[in-house]
Structures are given as structure tokens and as C-alpha cells.
Amino acid sequence: AIANGNAKPIPQREVEEEWRREAPKLNRANTTVRADRSTAEVTRNLIRGLSPFPGAHETFEMDGEELFIKFFGAEVVKEGDEAHAALAQNGMDSEKFVAGDLWISDTQILLKCTDGILRITELQFPGKKRMETAVLLKGWRKTGIWRAIINNSV
């Protein structure tokens, strides 16, 4: 329409009144990767949508130690992926690996969502640089299941 000269301009204020919506203020509560979210919601709306700032995040716990992580990259683990075999090989079934859990192995980091599993590809710890998971795991020694800390006071 623009190339043909047939474009009809619309005054901005008319569009603004009809379509205007307030965006929610971003805070710790609505940028958290919670256990009740799907893989699509976590990857699209949180990790990709909030990267690089403020970043999707979660706090996990294992053996009394807390781990705060910001997520910057993830991919959905498809059926038949080697991640499923690795989980089975390590005795992880649907009762042990539940939504909100983070499994850190020597080779990958997996996050369980309500409808599937995400492979974390890029992340950041407090006070550290943002890095790819493969680089982080070269020096990481605390493998196992980290459980999401549910904090309703946020």
C-alpha cells in the first residue's frame, strides 16, 4: 500500500486509546522460573523474553546449599534425545525428577518443567560471567538434583 501511494495514515492517539495496555512491572516474582510453568513458557516468555536483562532466574537447594542461577539459553529436550537415556541411567524417573528440579551432571544441566525437560545452554551464577553450560561443567563438581526453593514472600 505504501509503494502504491494508497496507504491511509491513522492518527496515533486513536490507536493508543483502543490498544493501550499497561505492561506489568518486572520484579523477582514474575521473572522466576517456577515449577508450574511449561517448557514453551519458560523458553519463550522467560529465558528469551527477559534476556539479557533482567534475566529469568531461580534459586535451587541441595544438601542445605543454595544456588541462584540466571538462565540465558535453553532448548527443549525431544523424545529420544540422549538426555532421557542419561536420566534413566542415573535412576531418574518421574517420581525423583519432578517439575522445578534442576539436574546437573558431568555433561549437561536439565530443568524439569510441567510438560517436559529443558537443556540449559547458557547461564550465570552471582558474581560470575555469563557462560555456556559446557564451559561451566568443566570445573563444576556438585552434580545431582537441585530442588527449586518455593518462596511465596517474593
Side-chain angles (χ1 to χ4, degrees):
I2 294 174
N4 297 336
N6 298 333
K8 295 182 181 177
I10 300 172
Q12 191 67 38
R13 69 177 176 272
E14 289 177 22
V15 174
E16 181 181 325
E17 295 300 320
E18 185 179 341
W19 295 100
R20 192 175 105 170
R21 290 187 188 102
E22 297 266 336
K25 183 173 179 165
L26 297 177
N27 56 38
R28 275 212 179 288
N30 62 13
T31 58
T32 301
V33 177
R34 296 188 322 259
D36 64 346
R37 299 186 194 243
S38 69
T39 55
E41 187 177 1
V42 171
T43 54
R44 286 189 206 121
N45 299 347
L46 291 171
I47 296 176
R48 286 182 15 201
L50 297 173
S51 181
F53 184 79
H57 63 87
E58 185 60 270
T59 303
F60 299 92
E61 185 271 332
M62 182 172 76
D63 298 332
E65 183 178 348
E66 288 188 11
L67 178 66
F68 179 84
I69 300 176
K70 270 190 174 182
F71 300 100
F72 292 101
E75 59 190 23
V76 176
V77 174
K78 304 230 185 297
E79 204 59 45
D81 188 284
E82 84 270 354
H84 290 287
L87 285 166
Q89 187 177 17
N90 284 280
M92 301 294 151
D93 56 20
S94 58
E95 290 181 13
K96 291 183 182 174
F97 192 50
V98 297
D101 284 354
L102 186 78
W103 183 58
I104 302 179
S105 73
D106 293 332
T107 58
Q108 59 191 335
I109 298 177
L110 303 175
L111 176 66
K112 180 75 165 115
C113 296
T114 56
D115 65 344
I117 300 171
L118 291 175
R119 179 181 291 109
I120 305 303
T121 57
E122 195 173 5
L123 66 157
Q124 181 180 16
F125 291 150
K128 304 292 183 187
K129 292 188 314 183
R130 175 177 167 174
M131 64 182 80
E132 292 180 9
T133 300
V135 174
L136 169 84
L137 291 176
K138 288 180 180 176
W140 187 259
R141 299 292 171 247
K142 298 172 187 168
T143 60
I145 291 185
W146 293 77
R147 305 259 180 220
I149 296 176
I150 307 301
N151 188 352
N152 295 327
S153 64
V154 179

